[in-house]
Amino acid sequence: MIGRPRGFDADEALHAAMLVFWRQGYEGASLADLTGAMGITKTSMYAAFGNKEQLFRKALARYDEGPASYALRAVEKPTAREVATAFLTGSVHTTTQPGGPAGCLGVQGSLAAGDAGEPAREILAEWRTNGRQLLETRFRRAVDEGDLPPGTDARRLALFVMTVAFGIAVQAASGVSRTDLQEIADTALHHWPV
Amino acid sequence: MIGRPRGFDADEALHAAMLVFWRQGYEGASLADLTGAMGITKTSMYAAFGNKEQLFRKALARYDEGPASYALRAVEKPTAREVATAFLTGSVHTTTQPGGPAGCLGVQGSLAAGDAGEPAREILAEWRTNGRQLLETRFRRAVDEGDLPPGTDARRLALFVMTVAFGIAVQAASGVSRTDLQEIADTALHHWPV
DNA sequence: CGACTTACGTACCGATCGGTACCGAATATC
DNA sequence: GATATTCGGTACCGATCGGTACGTAAGTCG
């Protein structure tokens, strides 16, 4: 690499930005908030990440690799029941981790927004749909493998689990405790598969 | 009333403001957006409603009386099962009403926010807790009346139903159809009470 | 018709928004 | 050491943010 080397760790800066978006949402996170937490100036941020929207995209990707990685691990479980259990337990843990922002970046990052927040809203709506697709595909496989009863509606099952996960995220953002949320998750899957 | 009469209907204006907050969230709704939809100038808005935060409070009260009034009607049903069914069906209808904003004002009005949106965030966190309390009290009564089995955890039941309702709100905001959401609601209550 | 009271419209306030021009500082190559 | 290349900091951009001062219009009272 030629030229002056950057004086900060881009990975750490991105992590800090992710936390700010997570805690304050896309519209609620100003460039001053972001760069302040990242420990860099606006100029450095624009040079390294493009603009606010692209920074958000990268922060979301980082969220997938870190806090939301429980989703990919969940669908690797051997049975549909274990998949659903791991998925909801993972969402409970991530949305209530001590010291971190309460709730889920994919939900509270941008749910309703004005014109300025429209890009983030669309990005996250797609993110949520992808999550459902992930579960639906996995449950369809479970039906094919005989793990779930023939005729089981994989899409409906996936929608249900995702809905509970999103509800958990909202509750976590409202301050509901990890213990309560785990009870909710257990309740939702008590009569699995339904 | 002495002096010049106001040239607009305060009720209609408040309704229009509620729709803007609902569609764009507290932070995403600028005064220009609000007053534009209300058909009045900023001065008239401040004279009639105080400021942005108080306008939001009044819009939320209006939401309770209108779109969210299904909640109070639901808890008047004779049995806990009917209460839960009416509550979730009502939430599905309100969050997917044609021509209106998708989702729930109480959820997407402000879930994560920066400093400017902090008041709205707290107002809505309390609003959500009140909803749970409403159901919990009703379910406790159902236990006392013998409608629900003795030893039933009313709080846990209320948390579960609220969580599904919030999840439905998030899904609606993401564009999931009314038909799909009604299926989710049916799935959640299929093994009632649990 | 005045006098009084209230609402409306304009023009403006300081602060902050996301984003950029510009220049000096730091490093690799020659 | 000179040069090329990149990064960092300051100072600034027009636009918009929530909120207000002030003059004028539109009514009710005497």
Side-chain angles (χ1 to χ4, degrees):
Chain A
M1 187 62 168
I2 207 168
R4 175 176 174 175
R6 64 164 53 123
F8 63 95
D9 186 315
D11 245 37
E12 289 178 11
L14 184 56
H15 185 80
M18 178 193 72
L19 291 177
V20 174
F21 280 131
W22 190 353
R23 186 173 286 112
Q24 309 190 6
Y26 182 80
E27 281 184 322
S30 70
L31 282 197
D33 293 331
L34 291 164
T35 55
M38 297 165 87
I40 62 178
T41 62
K42 266 189 285 192
T43 341
S44 299
M45 195 283 282
Y46 276 90
F49 300 101
N51 59 16
K52 189 184 178 182
E53 180 184 335
Q54 290 176 29
L55 177 63
F56 182 73
R57 296 189 120 97
K58 283 162 182 157
L60 182 62
R62 176 113 189 153
Y63 185 71
D64 278 330
E65 297 164 6
S69 59
Y70 65 85
L72 284 177
R73 285 196 303 275
V75 294
E76 288 174 359
K77 298 287 180 184
T79 67
R81 163 176 252 123
E82 288 173 279
V83 169
T85 302
F87 194 90
L88 290 189
T89 300
S91 91
V92 168
H93 272 82
T94 291
T95 58
T96 59
Q97 61 178 358
C104 171
L105 172 59
V107 173
Q108 70 209 30
S110 182
L111 201 49
D115 293 340
E118 191 62 20
R121 226 204 77 240
E122 292 175 8
I123 290 168
L124 290 189
E126 186 185 348
W127 183 86
R128 289 178 221 119
T129 303
N130 290 344
R132 194 239 301 162
Q133 271 296 341
L134 182 72
L135 279 185
E136 182 177 341
T137 304
R138 179 60 185 83
F139 289 155
R140 192 157 316 186
R141 198 188 95 195
V143 175
D144 293 342
E145 292 173 346
D147 172 26
L148 287 174
T152 300
D153 189 339
R155 181 159 176 279
R156 180 174 181 162
L157 223 49
L159 270 168
F160 174 67
V161 173
M162 287 304 292
T163 301
V164 174
F166 292 154
I168 284 172
V170 173
Q171 296 280 32
S174 312
V176 175
S177 75
R178 171 176 290 195
T179 310
D180 285 340
L181 294 181
Q182 187 59 56
E183 274 194 12
I184 292 171
D186 295 342
T187 302
L189 301 182
H190 190 227
H191 292 288
W192 184 265
V194 162
Chain B
M1 188 63 168
I2 208 168
R4 175 176 175 176
R6 65 163 51 121
F8 64 97
D9 185 314
D11 245 37
E12 289 179 10
L14 184 57
H15 185 80
M18 177 194 73
L19 291 177
V20 175
F21 280 130
W22 190 350
R23 186 173 286 110
Q24 308 189 6
Y26 181 80
E27 281 185 322
S30 71
L31 282 198
D33 293 332
L34 290 163
T35 55
M38 297 165 88
I40 62 179
T41 63
K42 265 188 284 191
T43 10
S44 299
M45 194 284 280
Y46 275 90
F49 299 100
N51 60 18
K52 189 184 178 183
E53 181 184 333
Q54 291 176 30
L55 177 64
F56 182 73
R57 296 189 121 98
K58 283 162 183 157
L60 182 61
R62 176 117 190 150
Y63 185 71
D64 278 330
E65 298 164 4
S69 60
Y70 66 84
L72 284 176
R73 285 195 304 275
V75 294
E76 289 173 357
K77 297 287 181 185
T79 67
R81 162 176 254 124
E82 287 173 280
V83 168
T85 304
F87 193 91
L88 289 189
T89 300
S91 91
V92 168
H93 272 82
T94 291
T95 58
T96 59
Q97 60 178 357
C104 170
L105 172 59
V107 173
Q108 70 208 29
S110 182
L111 201 49
D115 293 340
E118 191 61 21
R121 227 205 76 240
E122 293 175 8
I123 290 168
L124 290 188
E126 186 185 347
W127 183 88
R128 288 178 223 121
T129 303
N130 290 343
R132 194 240 300 163
Q133 271 296 341
L134 183 71
L135 279 184
E136 182 177 338
T137 304
R138 179 61 184 84
F139 288 155
R140 193 157 317 190
R141 199 188 95 196
V143 175
D144 293 341
E145 292 174 347
D147 171 26
L148 286 175
T152 300
D153 189 339
R155 180 159 177 279
R156 179 172 180 164
L157 221 50
L159 270 169
F160 174 68
V161 173
M162 287 304 293
T163 301
V164 174
F166 292 152
I168 284 172
V170 173
Q171 296 280 32
S174 312
V176 175
S177 75
R178 171 175 290 196
T179 309
D180 284 340
L181 293 182
Q182 187 59 56
E183 274 194 11
I184 291 170
D186 295 342
T187 301
L189 301 181
H190 189 227
H191 292 289
W192 183 265
V194 163

